[in-house]
Amino acid sequence: SSCTAPLTDNYMTFDQMEYYLAQLNSHPRVSVSSIGKSIEGRDIWIVHINRSGCEGQEPIGMTPRFAYSAMKRRTVWLEGGIHAREWISPAVTLQIIHNITHDCSMGRGLEVYVVPMANPDGYVHTWTNNRLWRKNRRNNPDSSCDGVDLNRNWDFDYGVGASPHPCGETYRGTSAFSEPETQALREAMLQVNSTGTLQMVMAVHSYGQLLLYPYGGPASNPAPYKEKMENLGKLFVNTVNKVHDKTYKIMNANELYPASGTSQDWAKGILKAKYAYTLELRSKKTFVLKPDEILPTGQEVLEGLKMVFLALAREKNTQ
Ligand code: 0X9
Ligand code: ZN
């Protein structure tokens, strides 16, 4: 529709994202706030879409008496933009925010929290200096190479399966949570986790068209609820694949390649989120996706998420 056009016509600069989020904040069901600042002082924004205005529209199968108020809140956390060059991630994440906000049928029975741009400094750098920059903009001491991979900096299985060298693309940093960006995400996730049951965490990346479930570390034991994560993941990819006939697949993260210190594994292993995923969006071969793929990528993911949200809201047992 025309009101989503600015979100799907082209990629937004960081300034445009901030402008969009500021406007969105005037919507009664939305609150936008900063969870902290990046190394270069940019805000990391979180969007909470609440259920006010959607009462009486609980999912089928959920007794109104238990819905929303009496029941422990079920929360969902979506993370976008932790890798700077994966522009389709914030673009799709913003579309998801738009959709949940403007459509009560999506995300019924759930409290949804979204960080669309977890690495603003890196993102700005991809617009101004280097389109293929991945990490944050840490000025590493005693090295001519900048940046820490924010998806190797989390304190679960930290270390092995991530580069110890500042010049590495997957440089893990000097210690777990050495970066203000991961610290801000951790604090916000702990806060959200304390307000309800964290049903699902999804980190949105590109590329590969894959849905990955934990663990991804080298010492990858089967994660709790592995079967359930596989089954819900299959529901997601099957739904996604009906929309534009694409070929998303589900697999174990460690089987793709071992990576430790990821937000997904921390969410699963430490926060005990029942479901944790890394979603790799389009394409099959490059980070540089043409703007005309923003809309279809968003459409397919939205259909998949709708199904997943319904399943999560209806589930009887929580974590
Ligand atoms: O390597 C990553 O951080 C993610 N892929 S990306 O190309 N977007 O950088 C994948 C992390 C998922 N975990 C494992 N593959 N173990
Ligand atoms: Zn990534």
Side-chain angles (χ1 to χ4, degrees):
S1 77
S2 63
C3 70
T4 60
L7 284 174
T8 54
D9 280 359
N10 214 329
Y11 295 102
M12 287 192 198
T13 64
F14 182 65
D15 287 348
Q16 287 171 324
M17 286 179 190
E18 289 202 305
Y19 182 79
Y20 173 79
L21 293 173
Q23 302 251 300
L24 192 73
N25 198 24
S26 64
H27 192 286
R29 290 180 50 219
V30 182
S31 74
V32 181
S33 54
S34 173
I35 59 170
K37 288 193 189 285
S38 65
I39 287 197
E40 292 175 352
R42 294 184 179 88
D43 280 305
I44 298 165
W45 297 105
I46 191 167
V47 182
H48 173 201
I49 303 112
N50 68 55
R51 310 315 310 163
S52 60
C54 290
E55 292 90 352
Q57 303 188 50
E58 294 82 5
I60 299 152
M62 182 190 278
T63 318
R65 185 161 68 90
F66 293 114
Y68 304 139
S69 50
M71 194 181 70
K72 199 173 181 209
R73 295 160 82 256
R74 295 171 175 204
T75 60
V76 166
W77 174 280
L78 303 176
E79 169 210 283
I82 205 166
H83 286 145
R85 63 191 171 194
E86 300 166 10
W87 286 9
I88 190 66
S89 162
V92 162
T93 311
L94 286 165
Q95 282 187 70
I96 295 165
I97 291 171
H98 182 95
N99 222 273
I100 303 173
T101 304
H102 294 89
D103 179 0
C104 278
S105 72
M106 193 173 173
R108 288 176 185 178
L110 301 169
E111 295 289 329
V112 184
Y113 294 84
V114 190
V115 173
M117 177 41 68
N119 178 13
D121 297 350
Y123 189 70
V124 169
H125 194 69
T126 62
W127 279 78
T128 55
N129 289 76
N130 177 357
R131 174 65 185 85
L132 291 179
W133 190 256
R134 168 182 171 98
K135 302 183 280 182
N136 75 348
R137 292 297 300 151
R138 164 72 66 192
N139 182 356
N140 293 312
D142 310 319
S143 172
S144 58
C145 296
D146 297 329
V148 168
D149 184 348
L150 298 176
N151 208 33
R152 298 292 182 279
N153 192 237
W154 298 67
D155 197 11
F156 182 82
D157 224 359
Y158 175 82
V160 200
S163 177
H165 308 295
C167 295
E169 278 285 74
T170 60
Y171 177 46
R172 64 196 186 200
T174 51
S175 60
F177 291 120
S178 57
E179 305 310 294
E181 294 89 354
T182 48
Q183 288 167 20
L185 291 165
R186 173 192 59 190
E187 293 311 309
M189 289 172 90
L190 287 168
Q191 164 68 28
V192 163
N193 193 40
S194 73
T195 67
T197 308
L198 194 56
Q199 286 290 87
M200 181 179 77
V201 169
M202 187 180 278
V204 183
H205 289 251
S206 72
Y207 59 90
Q209 297 178 208
L210 294 166
L211 186 70
L212 306 170
Y213 58 88
Y215 292 111
S220 190
N221 299 312
Y225 294 117
K226 175 183 176 288
E227 311 272 276
K228 286 200 159 238
M229 286 194 288
E230 268 187 316
N231 288 336
L232 189 69
K234 278 180 195 156
L235 177 72
F236 178 84
V237 297
N238 290 340
T239 311
V240 167
N241 287 339
K242 279 183 192 137
V243 181
H244 295 295
D245 195 26
K246 289 290 169 181
T247 50
Y248 286 76
K249 288 188 176 67
I250 176 162
M251 66 189 292
N252 174 261
N254 181 58
E255 278 170 33
L256 182 64
Y257 55 83
S260 62
T262 64
S263 65
Q264 167 191 38
D265 280 8
W266 186 84
K268 182 72 192 180
I270 304 294
L271 280 193
K272 314 283 184 208
K274 185 170 183 181
Y275 300 89
Y277 298 104
T278 298
L279 172 61
E280 301 280 5
L281 297 170
R282 296 190 196 187
S283 69
K284 279 274 168 70
K285 54 175 196 277
T286 176
F287 298 107
V288 185
L289 196 64
K290 292 215 174 72
D292 64 7
E293 293 202 54
I294 299 172
L295 182 61
T297 309
Q299 285 169 337
E300 61 202 17
V301 170
L302 274 164
E303 289 310 307
L305 269 186
K306 267 182 206 170
M307 292 294 279
V308 164
F309 282 1
L310 268 177
L312 290 177
R314 282 175 185 167
E315 250 187 13
K316 294 225 161 50
N317 58 323
T318 56
Q319 62 179 161

